[in-house]
Amino acid sequence: MNRIFFAFAVFFLALEMSAQGKREKFSPEKFRADMEQFIAKEACLTPKESSKFFPVYDEMNKKQRVIFNRMRRLGKVKPTDEKGCRDVIQKRDQLELELKQIQQTYHNKFMSIISASKLFDVINAEDKFHRRMLKRYNHPPMPRQSRPQKK
């Protein structure tokens, strides 16, 4: 009888520990929706402004994603000689300049959709959202445990 009880206790303990260790699977759609909601709230965008702004914002992100992917591929393998390293560094620098040009072009487009002050708030909200998500990813929330009552 004790062996059966012990086996069940070990089984449930292992089950509980594995449930605590699992992270929620990343969903790009959920991430994008959460980011849009956060940005719209932080920058006080109206529904009309949001409906015009976010399609253009998504367009910018798609263009930037292409360049980020190229940069990531460049950094995967270190060249074996100095010339190769120099070439990779120069290509990365060029890609970073392209990123800034895309950003500048789209910032000008955004200011034809929303005011500069709201765009300023959007940029800050985007940074704030990414910092929060990185912090959450690096330090996932711990399961709530009962705390001892103070007397």
Side-chain angles (χ1 to χ4, degrees):
M1 186 71 168
N2 283 342
R3 288 183 185 174
I4 293 173
F5 176 74
F6 181 71
F8 274 116
V10 169
F11 172 75
F12 285 113
L13 182 62
L15 185 64
E16 178 66 24
M17 289 177 69
S18 69
Q20 288 178 2
K22 291 184 181 178
R23 287 189 182 176
E24 185 179 321
K25 188 174 180 179
F26 179 75
S27 166
E29 296 82 18
K30 183 178 181 334
F31 180 86
R32 193 175 123 243
D34 290 346
M35 182 172 62
E36 285 182 11
Q37 182 181 13
F38 184 84
I39 289 172
K41 181 181 173 203
E42 288 285 310
C44 300
L45 297 179
T46 66
K48 184 179 178 182
E49 288 170 329
S50 292
S51 68
K52 290 180 179 180
F53 174 79
F54 283 111
V56 181
Y57 180 80
D58 290 340
E59 184 181 301
M60 178 188 74
N61 282 330
K62 285 177 187 173
K63 289 182 179 182
Q64 288 178 323
R65 178 63 38 216
V66 169
I67 294 176
F68 285 136
N69 289 338
R70 289 171 55 195
M71 289 173 71
R72 191 175 72 242
R73 281 194 301 271
L74 279 175
K76 286 211 181 241
V77 178
K78 182 179 178 181
T80 57
D81 62 344
E82 288 297 310
K83 183 186 179 318
C85 288
R86 184 179 299 111
D87 291 344
V88 168
I89 291 168
Q90 290 172 343
K91 286 177 186 174
R92 273 190 68 104
D93 288 347
Q94 185 58 43
L95 290 171
E96 287 182 19
L97 289 172
E98 287 180 39
L99 276 173
K100 277 299 178 189
Q101 288 172 339
I102 289 170
Q103 198 175 46
Q104 185 178 35
T105 300
Y106 276 89
H107 284 173
N108 289 330
K109 286 183 183 183
F110 294 152
M111 285 188 283
S112 70
I113 299 169
I114 60 176
S115 68
S117 63
K118 283 195 176 187
L119 179 57
F120 184 86
D121 293 340
V122 164
I123 293 167
N124 287 332
E126 181 184 28
D127 289 343
K128 187 176 181 181
F129 178 81
H130 286 122
R131 281 192 308 273
R132 284 186 179 183
M133 292 306 286
L134 280 172
K135 189 181 285 187
R136 184 180 301 164
Y137 178 76
N138 288 332
H139 304 288
M142 297 297 291
R144 288 192 155 198
Q145 296 175 355
S146 60
R147 295 181 183 162
Q149 297 286 330
K150 290 185 178 180
K151 293 184 180 184

